[in-house]
Amino acid sequence: MTANSVRAVAMGTAMERVDGREKVTGRATYAMENDAELDRPPLHGWMVTSRTAKGRVLRVDASDALDHPGVVTVLDHTTAPRLASTEDRELAVLQDDRIGFRGQIVALVLAETPESAREGARLVRVHEQAEPFSATLEGAETYRPDSSSVGSETDTEQGEVDAALAAAPVRIDHTYTTPHEHNNPLEPHAATALWRDGTLTMWDSTQGVHRVAATLAPMLGIEPERLRVRAPYVGGGFGSKGPPHGPEVAVALAAMWAEGRPVKLAVTRQQMFPLTGYRTQTVSDLRIGAEPDGRIIALEHAVTVQTSAIKEFVEHAAVPARMMYAGEHRRTSHRVASLDVPVPSWMRAPGEMPGMHALEVAMDELAVAVGVDPVELRVRNEPEVDPGSGNPFSNRRLVDCLYRGAELFGWADRPVAPRATLDGDWWVGTGVASATYPANFFPGNAARVTALERGRYAVAIGAVDIGTGARTALLQIAADALGVGVAEVDLAIGDTDLPFATVAGGSSGTGSWGTAITQAAQQFRADHGEAPDPGVQTTSTAQSYPDTEHLAMHSYGAVFTEARVHRWTGEVRVPRMLGVYSVGRVINPTTARSQFLGGLVMGLSAALFEESVRDPRFGHFVTQDLATYHVASHADIGDLRVEWLDDVDERATPMGSRGIGEIGIVGTSAAVVNAAYHATGVRVRNLPATSDAFL
Amino acid sequence: MEHVAEHHPDHESPHTSQHVPEQRITLRIDGTDHELTVDTRTTLLDALRERAGNTSPKKGCDHGQCGSCTVLLDGRRHLTCLALAVAYDGAEIVTAAGLAGPADEGDLHPVQQAFITHDGFQCGYCTPGQVCSAVGMLEEAGRGAPSHVTADLEADVDLTDEEIRERMSGNLCRCGAYAGILGAIRESAGR
Ligand code: FES
Ligand code: FES
């Protein structure tokens, strides 16, 4: 059966986070904090990483390390347990002598204490043979990948783009760049692992317990049931904890080596920069040809990114240009340079974030070029149907978001010309950008409903709450699907012993898991009625939600910001940000607001601060801690306001909701840059917009 | 770790200590005395987390850059990752766990309750540090300690939004829950 839509009682009602108490006291247990469940003191791991960007490990000399008190062993590629598969070069940890990037794991020290492990790692001498390498995108040879990393088409072309551009009365033709960025969840990647009786148990800091098990079990040569992954609490991820990375393999190998004894391994903040993924630098060549009134005739978005030679990841930054605005002639493309660098991966709104940054700054440039208000320009370019697929949109309310935002923000008061307002020593301006994100739905999720005593129910699914509020929202969904109060439901998540769940990523979690819960609850009622005997149970796997195949399903938003740029120092401050979103039904207004706000903050952070600087001479990120890789701090934040449209999208999910985790970051950096342009007349085309750009 | 490229001559063997110097210290943690044997290299944070089993303070960076390891140390907010445990023998430490009553039944500290009311967190990893920092900051402001943005160093501190944001900027929140944190602290400050 497929799920029917559900009457919203708990859904849509603000509810405090059910795990708030654990979090504000620090009693919530993250991946390194489960010692109470261990019956033996754990060994502590510390990784030794490569100093060359490409080459071979000739010899790992562990003699001094092994002499150090407390050091138990040093695993390297000659001594670590063998993996059954080494196809994935990022995950083929300690299996051979090849080095694919600087910062790769080349040895792992295990010791009785963290101090001894760390000192042991310092004492390991790795003899490496360096080979010539390449770590710079500029000037690098590129290739055409088979597809992007979300499986979308590499290139698209409609109409006569070059001719239309050449003939267009107005043309915008610029290159926009976004730098390497690192997710930097506040909890570093970490895991505790125990190999006992042929079963590996991992407490992992991950966005997807089943995904970790499904990826690692075959590599470790064990049945998936023999790998239990638990993630009771996860300190953020923003994509980096979506797929497993090398350190998870390292700790699993160490646990197998240490059979019977648990092993704890925390990636240091510094080691996260090469080892746990990042958003690749992007280069967007954007050309827009328009009528004098701003209507787009032709649009080209050509994206160049880099990936690691050992594993391909293609950031799909040209994808949003396929559906965002009208225009008859359109070309999008992705080209990739393969470099000897750390493996890029998912970071909040991969593709949409950098792609929409470029597109939305270009739209602002077009607004200036044709003398049309930036809000009005976007309204004029509303497509009737999805220009890329020709499919109708299911619930496209971008214009409503723009108009509502303009009203709330006081947009109409804005002077037309840039560099028009000087307040003391500060140039003041306002900017806008659109946001969008696809309504992703991942199939295959399953949920279990069990009747308990006294009209209570247990609902179980292997979903993970990485801070999104899923633990609370899923409870609300379950309660409504069962037709009971939230207090009548016990929800269990974060464990592969529970029914299969897809990853908390792509803004798909609550929708995909919630659909499974809804369907299981409805099946449960069909099987067992309204007064079930305690103990009866239904487990069901969600079908794909119907009616979605021939619809273009996306969420939308409009972001408005005020920027102030200091006339002498170029310092940029953002005293006001507003986001208005259309995301279907908001399940829990309390946690949803925090999701949107968090996206705005991360977008502001990307606009002004975030940049991972790679040293081309060595191939590593030199900004590798939170003092050199700047993220927005409290003092960087002004007044933030978020609103959403009253929406219910039952074509997206039976709850009427779409995902909300990523859209807050989309367009936000463009809104800041556009406001800074309006303040100063200086157009910044390369992120981050640091003060030097305005001097 | 010493990395030796093949074409370079081997460096001299680094000095290796033959034994790990340990020391016994006493820490009063959340109202209970703990006698701990620590490595002289053990940070206060690792003493709490790995020796005393109190994982309320979190390790976000181990480098004094994020604030997630903040506790109240002898009444003042303090980073524990940049402190060596042996230097704090006899210290009184209150973590976010100790600000609240016992796990199940006890009351939360009003600042903790305000964090929940205002949803001043998402993942919760920075939160115990934010809470301790907020409690310590309110005490600092209450006794008139100025901040970088205080205009009049002599006057009582007026905890404006700007003051709160400045004073809380040692605690990073990657989830970006700053608006909720601000609301929670405003309420706690009686605004
Ligand atoms: S862990 Fe101490 S400041 Fe980050
Ligand atoms: S709540 Fe996640 S870092 Fe602050």
Side-chain angles (χ1 to χ4, degrees):
Chain A
M1 85 181 244
T2 52
N4 301 314
S5 60
V6 176
R7 197 166 76 89
V9 179
M11 293 193 299
T13 305
M15 183 173 166
E16 279 178 3
R17 243 169 246 274
V18 292
D19 49 11
R21 192 179 177 89
E22 286 70 29
K23 287 178 174 177
V24 297
T25 56
R27 292 188 184 114
T29 50
Y30 298 82
M32 292 289 276
E33 302 174 352
N34 295 283
D35 286 14
E37 297 203 43
L38 307 176
D39 59 7
R40 291 180 65 187
L43 285 170
H44 298 266
W46 206 282
M47 295 180 290
V48 180
T49 57
S50 70
R51 285 271 180 97
T52 46
K54 189 178 182 185
R56 292 190 180 270
V57 177
L58 297 171
R59 191 162 57 88
V60 174
D61 177 356
S63 50
D64 290 333
L66 290 168
D67 282 346
H68 187 71
V71 171
V72 173
T73 193
V74 177
L75 298 176
D76 65 20
H77 65 282
T78 65
T79 56
R82 296 297 91 187
L83 293 170
S85 145
T86 57
E87 220 165 285
D88 184 325
R89 299 295 304 161
E90 182 193 10
L91 299 182
V93 172
L94 301 180
Q95 298 301 299
D96 58 48
D97 62 352
R98 279 184 285 161
I99 298 170
F101 61 89
R102 184 173 163 129
Q104 179 181 314
I105 304 165
V106 288
L108 178 67
V109 177
L110 298 181
E112 298 291 344
T113 66
E115 294 80 21
S116 292
R118 181 177 201 164
E119 178 65 3
R122 195 185 71 80
L123 293 170
V124 171
R125 296 147 59 83
V126 181
H127 298 253
E128 300 172 17
Q129 178 154 42
E131 293 169 13
F133 69 94
S134 155
T136 313
L137 176 57
E138 287 76 27
E141 202 181 302
T142 62
Y143 68 95
R144 181 183 182 283
D146 291 340
S147 70
S148 82
S149 287
V150 289
S152 53
E153 285 169 277
T154 305
D155 299 341
T156 61
E157 176 137 17
Q158 293 161 297
E160 304 287 334
V161 177
D162 293 323
L165 279 169
V170 182
R171 281 176 56 181
I172 300 295
D173 185 350
H174 294 293
T175 300
Y176 306 89
T177 67
T178 64
H180 301 300
E181 294 167 351
H182 277 80
N183 310 52
N184 274 313
L186 206 65
E187 182 206 12
H189 289 232
T192 302
L194 172 63
W195 173 246
R196 181 176 288 168
D197 304 329
T199 296
L200 184 68
T201 305
M202 282 176 78
W203 288 262
D204 194 11
S205 188
T206 179
Q207 294 170 225
V209 288
H210 284 98
R211 165 130 189 175
V212 172
T215 308
L216 297 193
M219 294 187 68
L220 297 168
I222 57 178
E223 293 301 317
E225 310 81 69
R226 289 284 175 187
L227 177 45
R228 181 179 182 195
V229 183
R230 301 172 65 181
Y233 288 93
V234 178
F238 316 109
S240 67
K241 294 173 184 169
H245 298 287
E248 280 142 303
V249 178
V251 72
L253 292 174
M256 286 180 149
W257 181 88
E259 173 143 27
R261 186 134 185 226
V263 179
K264 289 167 79 173
L265 177 65
V267 185
T268 67
R269 180 62 58 185
Q270 290 76 7
Q271 290 169 340
M272 281 171 63
F273 284 77
L275 285 175
T276 59
Y278 60 104
R279 191 198 305 282
T280 171
Q281 168 186 11
T282 69
V283 179
S284 285
D285 291 312
L286 241 155
R287 297 197 289 165
I288 304 178
E291 302 285 4
D293 66 359
R295 276 178 301 128
I296 296 170
I297 302 164
L299 172 66
E300 173 170 19
H301 192 168
V303 168
T304 308
V305 296
Q306 51 105 68
T307 187
S308 173
I310 67 166
K311 186 171 177 175
E312 183 185 81
F313 181 91
V314 182
E315 179 101 8
H316 54 282
V319 165
R322 295 173 186 168
M323 52 64 66
M324 198 61 204
Y325 295 115
E328 197 182 332
H329 309 276
R330 185 181 314 257
R331 182 191 292 140
T332 63
S333 64
H334 298 88
R335 295 293 178 272
V336 196
S338 174
L339 305 176
D340 305 302
V341 296
V343 181
S345 183
W346 307 347
M347 179 163 164
R348 203 173 199 170
E352 275 77 15
M353 188 271 165
M356 284 293 283
H357 174 80
L359 182 60
E360 292 301 300
V361 178
M363 286 296 279
D364 203 61
E365 301 215 47
L366 177 60
V368 172
V370 295
V372 174
D373 178 84
V375 169
E376 184 55 30
L377 178 78
R378 288 167 171 85
V379 174
R380 269 182 209 177
N381 282 294
E382 265 294 281
E384 305 256 304
V385 296
D386 176 7
S389 65
N391 288 334
F393 289 108
S394 71
N395 185 26
R396 181 176 167 119
R397 298 187 65 190
L398 172 63
V399 172
D400 293 341
C401 292
L402 285 163
Y403 282 153
R404 176 64 182 152
E407 181 191 330
L408 283 173
F409 192 78
W411 180 255
D413 306 338
R414 147 194 227 262
V416 172
R419 208 175 178 87
T421 309
L422 188 62
D423 177 12
D425 282 333
W426 296 85
W427 292 107
V428 183
T430 54
V432 65
S434 304
T436 188
Y437 198 78
N440 290 327
F441 179 90
F442 294 162
N445 283 277
R448 183 174 65 226
V449 177
T450 310
L452 305 175
E453 302 284 346
R454 290 185 297 281
R456 298 180 55 75
Y457 299 86
V459 174
I461 184 167
V464 180
D465 187 337
I466 62 169
T468 59
R471 194 176 252 119
T472 310
L474 293 182
L475 192 63
Q476 294 171 280
I477 291 169
D480 281 0
L482 285 163
V484 301
V486 286
E488 268 65 67
V489 180
D490 293 337
L491 177 76
I493 60 170
D495 191 334
T496 49
D497 276 1
L498 306 176
F500 177 84
T502 49
V503 75
S507 297
S508 71
T510 300
S512 305
W513 308 326
T515 298
I517 288 174
T518 300
Q519 185 175 315
Q522 292 173 352
Q523 185 69 53
F524 176 91
R525 288 293 186 219
D527 293 348
H528 307 294
E530 295 297 320
D533 293 332
V536 299
Q537 194 168 81
T538 295
T539 303
S540 94
T541 300
Q543 308 303 310
S544 271
Y545 201 64
D547 298 339
T548 58
E549 216 164 274
H550 300 293
L551 286 174
M553 301 183 65
H554 304 266
S555 286
Y556 297 90
V559 188
F560 293 79
T561 69
E562 177 185 325
R564 298 167 75 89
V565 183
H566 197 274
R567 68 193 296 201
W568 305 121
T569 68
E571 180 185 0
V572 185
R573 306 282 307 166
V574 179
R576 284 199 297 150
M577 300 179 87
L578 164 71
V580 176
Y581 298 99
S582 163
V583 291
R585 171 180 277 133
V586 164
I587 306 282
N588 183 355
T590 300
T591 51
R593 182 176 305 280
S594 292
Q595 283 277 66
F596 293 127
L597 289 169
L600 288 178
V601 169
M602 206 178 263
L604 170 72
S605 190
L608 300 183
F609 310 119
E610 293 186 37
E611 178 175 21
S612 293
V613 179
R614 183 183 290 148
D615 187 334
R617 298 169 302 169
F618 304 104
H620 72 306
F621 294 113
V622 292
T623 46
Q624 51 171 356
D625 58 30
L626 295 171
T628 51
Y629 185 87
H630 292 170
V631 303
S633 77
H634 205 144
D636 298 314
I637 304 302
D639 290 326
L640 304 178
R641 186 165 177 189
V642 166
E643 199 183 273
W644 47 86
L645 305 182
D646 201 6
D647 256 344
V648 178
D649 186 357
E650 285 177 353
R651 291 199 282 198
T653 63
M655 299 80 71
S657 64
R658 297 191 297 263
I660 56 174
E662 347 243 328
I663 195 166
I665 198 177
V666 179
T668 304
S669 53
V672 171
V673 163
N674 293 344
Y677 167 81
H678 186 239
T680 62
V682 176
R683 179 64 69 185
V684 176
R685 299 193 180 94
N686 306 312
L687 285 187
T690 46
S691 53
D692 52 306
F694 300 96
L695 298 178
Chain B
M1 60 213 101
E2 181 96 4
H3 287 252
V4 187
E6 189 59 0
H7 49 277
H8 287 288
D10 267 14
H11 293 244
E12 253 174 63
S13 230
H15 171 76
T16 313
S17 57
Q18 286 313 303
H19 71 285
V20 171
E22 288 182 334
Q23 200 165 311
R24 286 191 75 72
I25 60 167
T26 305
L27 296 175
R28 189 167 178 78
I29 305 168
D30 294 341
T32 306
D33 285 331
H34 290 253
E35 292 238 352
L36 302 172
T37 302
V38 295
D39 191 316
T40 49
R41 301 166 299 191
T42 304
T43 63
L44 199 48
L45 179 59
D46 281 341
L48 289 166
R49 287 171 60 84
E50 304 293 339
R51 306 297 204 286
N54 184 326
T55 54
S56 177
K58 306 301 182 195
K59 187 187 282 188
C61 69
D62 217 11
H63 253 55
Q65 298 167 347
C66 75
S68 66
C69 63
T70 306
V71 301
L72 296 167
L73 190 142
D74 295 332
R76 308 278 292 271
R77 52 180 173 161
H78 204 285
L79 300 180
T80 51
C81 68
L82 287 187
L84 289 171
V86 289
Y88 293 88
D89 188 14
E92 159 114 43
I93 289 165
V94 177
T95 71
L99 285 172
D104 294 327
E105 73 271 27
D107 287 341
L108 295 175
H109 187 283
V111 168
Q112 291 172 316
Q113 186 56 54
F115 266 69
I116 294 178
T117 307
H118 292 267
D119 208 38
F121 54 92
Q122 289 201 270
C123 76
Y125 201 76
C126 73
T127 313
Q130 301 274 6
V131 165
C132 288
S133 191
V135 171
M137 181 276 276
L138 289 168
E139 188 274 329
E140 287 159 27
R143 65 179 152 76
S147 82
H148 176 67
V149 299
T150 310
D152 182 349
L153 302 186
E154 307 288 323
D156 285 349
V157 174
D158 178 14
L159 273 185
T160 59
D161 289 356
E162 189 191 17
E163 281 278 6
I164 294 172
R165 288 177 175 133
E166 169 63 27
R167 288 166 188 264
M168 289 300 294
S169 273
N171 292 81
L172 297 176
C173 177
R174 188 54 162 159
C175 296
Y178 297 122
I181 294 168
L182 179 73
I185 296 176
R186 268 189 203 143
E187 184 189 313
S188 305
R191 283 185 47 211

